Every structure is written in C-alpha cells, then in structure tokens.
Amino acid sequence: MPSHITHALHIEELIRSLSTRSDAGYTPTQFHYLGAQGPDLFLHNRRRRPSGLRYGAIIHRGSIGRLIGAMQDAASALEPPAYRSASEFILGFAAHAVLDRACHPFINYFAGRWNPSRPESKKNRGMHSFLERLLDVEMLRALRSKTPREYDFARRLGSESDVLGIIARIVPDALAATYRSAESDRRLADRLENAVLDSYGFYRFTNDVSPDTAARLARRRADGSIEPLWLTVVHPPFLPDDVDFSNERGSRWFHPCAPDTPRTESFHDVFSRAVRDGIAVLAGIIDVRETPDAAERIHAIVGDENLSDGGPAGARCGEFIADPLPLRAALDRLRDRIDRETR
C-alpha cells in the first residue's frame, strides 16, 4: 500500500481533473479522503476488538471491483445528502485500487520482502512501510511544497462521527455480498467501526512528527536508544540524500512478477500514470452509477485484480524478484540523527 498521504494526493489530483463535471466537485471531501485509504483502514485496526484486520488482507487479494459495485448497490438506497457522501467514499475507494496496482510493483521491488523463513531477508523487515513514508514526504514536497506537518492529513478527515453512519450503511452489506467469510461474520459492523476508529487514532498520532516528537513518542530499547522499526510507521523528519528512493536517476527495475520487462520509471512517473488511469476509472463510475446495472458495470470498470501486484485475484507470483535499496542503513542513520539532535 502506498501510504496515506500519497493516496490523499492521488484523490486530490483526480478530483481536480474531474472538476469540469458538475457532480464531481473541485475540493475533495472527508469522504473522498477516507475512501482513498481503501482496505488500509482495516490494516490499522490493531487496538480495538473485535478487529477487522483480516479484511484488509482479504480485499487486497482481490474482488475489489465486485466490492465497490456492491457498495454502489447499497448506496443507491440512500437519500441525499447521504447518497452523495457515500458516492464520494466509493470514488475514493476505487482510486485506492488504481494507485495500489500502479505503485506496489515499484515499492515491492525497491523495498524487498521479509520472509521469516529466510534469515537473510530480515534486513527487509519494515522497509516496505519505510519506503512508503519516504515517498509520502517526497511526493508532498514535489506536488504541494509542504511537509507532512504542514499538510495536516488528519484535519482533512474531519470527525469520525461524521463518517461512521454513512459507511456503516454501505460497507458491511457490500463485504457480505462479496466475500464468503464476511457473509457469516456476525460482528462485521463492529469490526468496521473499530477499524475506522483505530485508523483515525493512527492518523492523528502520526500527524505531527518532528524530530522532537519522534524522539518523545518513540519506542526505546533497553539501552535507551530509539527502536528503528518504530520509525517506519511515521513520516521521517529528514529524507536521506544518498539513496535514490524515488528512482530519479532512472535505474532499471522490474515488476517483481515479470522479470522479462525492464522499466526505468521514477516513482513520480508511476504516480502520474496512476492519475491518468484513475481519471478514466472515476469518470467511468460517475457515468454509470445512476444506471440500473451500475453494480455490474462498476465491477467491470474497476476490475478484480489483486492490489499487491495487479495480477489475478487471489494469486501471488511464484518467483518474487527484488533489488532492495539500502533502506535499513538509511533508517539507522535517521535514528542516529534524531537521537543526536534531540538530546
């Protein structure tokens, strides 16, 4: 998953591009922003019980097009303004799928994969999320000339009480209509609420990370030093200047599942491609969402490919190819610098 700010920037670019449509609006609402977090909302459900954590993985594996079509079915029973808010959430959710499919091959290749059964891969633990946060900071700098503190992502989400009532009326029914495990889940509504509440808590907790707050909030080892893996889930206050983490130099890389197709795209190029693709997907949804067969047509527009590499639903490539950047070393330097500058 690209991290939450990159998803927010993506939906902003899409809504801006679609602003000529009278029903799209120019400024994203809290429902656009929240929807753009997609199934990652479930992945943040680490505190409250019952947890919906598993649904984050289930949705990432496939059938998201069917899910979004089912959301539209549920939304069609709502009256304005609830229908409009639900529609905004649905557009954001679809945008999430587009960006994940575009960006995950880049992130997977340059971050590598941690496999507990392979000790040599331990250095890759946490590097996926660390690279995502580095890219958040870089994209925000490039597109908005802001830092995460200045962008204030949590403010854009508004109040959780404003969104829970809407998404509770479309998401549980859509999940139950799409995934067999959800159909028999009697605590599904509770899991959704807990996922949203934990997500809001996570976004607020990580919203304003400076060197001082990073040092103050960090988990620490027995010797008092900062636990470096804690820093992989917050935005770094400094970017490494010796690691080409966005591939601006155009180094050759590969889709982890397609070793025969070399690429030289930077992350900026990948993001731009996801904007172009996202405009087509969201415009298609807007065009068909009032039709009698909207669910089926939206299902076809979004597709059911998985969000990890864009391959068939439920499938993972057998041979995973990666050439990880020296991200662990960069993380250790970041930790040391925070320690030095906040003593």
Side-chain angles (χ1 to χ4, degrees), residues 157-214:
L157 291 180
S159 168
E160 53 266 59
S161 62
D162 294 335
V163 301
L164 277 170
I166 298 297
I167 64 175
R169 296 166 72 180
I170 63 170
V171 176
D173 285 350
L175 283 169
T178 306
Y179 303 104
R180 184 174 300 175
S181 61
E183 184 180 9
S184 59
D185 187 349
R186 296 181 179 180
R187 305 296 302 277
L188 186 56
D190 295 331
R191 296 184 204 281
L192 173 64
E193 179 174 344
N194 288 339
V196 172
L197 293 175
D198 273 3
S199 292
Y200 268 81
F202 172 76
Y203 296 138
R204 287 172 179 150
F205 182 74
T206 61
N207 196 52
D208 184 21
V209 175
S210 65
D212 286 335
T213 55

Side-chain angles (χ1 to χ4, degrees), residues 290-317:
E290 307 293 342
T291 61
D293 57 346
E296 292 78 8
R297 296 174 75 176
I298 290 172
H299 180 187
I301 289 167
V302 178
D304 280 341
E305 294 84 0
N306 76 66
L307 305 189
S308 297
D309 54 44
R316 297 185 71 180
C317 54

Side-chain angles (χ1 to χ4, degrees), residues 147-149 208-218 220 226 230-231 234-239 334-343:
T147 66
R149 300 182 74 195
D208 184 21
V209 175
S210 65
D212 286 335
T213 55
R216 177 171 54 85
L217 298 173
R220 295 193 176 262
I226 293 175
W230 183 86
L231 295 174
V234 297
H235 292 106
F238 321 107
L239 288 177
L334 172 65
R335 175 205 55 198
D336 293 343
R337 182 174 173 183
I338 291 174
D339 262 341
R340 282 197 312 272
E341 296 189 6
T342 57
R343 285 175 185 166

Side-chain angles (χ1 to χ4, degrees), residues 8-44:
L9 294 171
H10 185 239
I11 194 63
E12 287 177 356
E13 295 298 300
L14 298 186
I15 297 303
R16 177 176 301 177
S17 297
L18 293 167
S19 61
T20 55
R21 293 172 175 265
S22 60
D23 59 350
Y26 179 78
T27 304
T29 70
Q30 66 183 123
F31 289 95
H32 286 121
Y33 282 116
L34 190 67
Q37 302 312 308
D40 296 353
L41 294 171
F42 289 106
L43 298 178
H44 295 312

Side-chain angles (χ1 to χ4, degrees), residues 78-85:
L78 304 179
E79 297 293 334
Y83 174 76
R84 181 181 180 89
S85 297

Side-chain angles (χ1 to χ4, degrees), residues 10-325:
H10 185 239
I11 194 63
E12 287 177 356
E13 295 298 300
L14 298 186
I15 297 303
R16 177 176 301 177
S17 297
L18 293 167
S19 61
T20 55
R21 293 172 175 265
S22 60
D23 59 350
Y26 179 78
T27 304
T29 70
Q30 66 183 123
F31 289 95
H32 286 121
Y33 282 116
L34 190 67
Q37 302 312 308
D40 296 353
L41 294 171
F42 289 106
L43 298 178
H44 295 312
N45 190 189
R46 307 278 177 159
R47 296 172 64 86
R48 290 174 172 84
R49 298 291 184 272
S51 172
L53 182 66
R54 72 174 185 267
Y55 289 112
I58 289 171
I59 299 169
H60 273 91
R61 284 199 292 268
S63 298
I64 194 168
R66 183 182 300 276
L67 173 65
I68 293 172
M71 284 187 198
Q72 182 62 40
D73 248 358
S76 66
L78 304 179
E79 297 293 334
Y83 174 76
R84 181 181 180 89
S85 297
S87 297
E88 291 166 350
F89 181 84
I90 289 167
L91 289 179
F93 218 92
H96 185 98
V98 173
L99 190 64
D100 264 17
R101 289 168 179 159
C103 295
H104 262 146
F106 181 100
I107 294 169
N108 289 337
Y109 184 83
F110 286 114
R113 177 187 288 175
W114 176 49
N115 184 342
S117 66
R118 299 179 61 184
E120 70 275 12
S121 72
K122 186 177 181 180
K123 65 181 183 299
N124 297 331
R125 183 185 178 192
M127 295 305 100
H128 186 109
S129 59
F130 182 48
L131 179 55
E132 290 175 342
R133 269 65 183 188
L134 293 173
L135 293 169
D136 262 8
V137 177
E138 168 58 22
M139 295 305 295
L140 194 51
R141 179 203 62 78
L143 295 178
R144 302 289 184 267
S145 299
K146 289 184 177 181
T147 66
R149 300 182 74 195
E150 294 166 333
Y151 183 69
D152 196 1
F153 173 77
R155 175 183 59 81
R156 296 165 194 270
L157 291 180
S159 168
E160 53 266 59
S161 62
D162 294 335
V163 301
L164 277 170
I166 298 297
I167 64 175
R169 296 166 72 180
I170 63 170
V171 176
D173 285 350
L175 283 169
T178 306
Y179 303 104
R180 184 174 300 175
S181 61
E183 184 180 9
S184 59
D185 187 349
R186 296 181 179 180
R187 305 296 302 277
L188 186 56
D190 295 331
R191 296 184 204 281
L192 173 64
E193 179 174 344
N194 288 339
V196 172
L197 293 175
D198 273 3
S199 292
Y200 268 81
F202 172 76
Y203 296 138
R204 287 172 179 150
F205 182 74
T206 61
N207 196 52
D208 184 21
V209 175
S210 65
D212 286 335
T213 55
R216 177 171 54 85
L217 298 173
R219 295 175 183 167
R220 295 193 176 262
R221 295 170 165 172
D223 63 2
S225 64
I226 293 175
E227 166 53 58
L229 285 181
W230 183 86
L231 295 174
T232 66
V233 297
V234 297
H235 292 106
F238 321 107
L239 288 177
D241 55 12
D242 56 348
V243 179
D244 185 18
F245 58 87
S246 58
N247 200 37
E248 289 306 296
R249 290 195 288 268
S251 298
R252 190 175 70 164
W253 60 280
F254 297 87
H255 189 299
C257 305
D260 298 328
T261 309
R263 307 180 181 192
T264 57
E265 291 175 294
S266 70
F267 189 78
H268 295 270
D269 297 328
V270 173
F271 182 89
S272 295
R273 172 161 50 84
V275 170
R276 294 191 297 271
D277 292 346
I279 291 169
V281 168
L282 266 59
I285 291 173
I286 291 170
D287 285 343
V288 306
R289 64 188 176 188
E290 307 293 342
T291 61
D293 57 346
E296 292 78 8
R297 296 174 75 176
I298 290 172
H299 180 187
I301 289 167
V302 178
D304 280 341
E305 294 84 0
N306 76 66
L307 305 189
S308 297
D309 54 44
R316 297 185 71 180
C317 54
E319 183 180 6
F320 184 88
I321 298 165
D323 186 11
L325 295 167

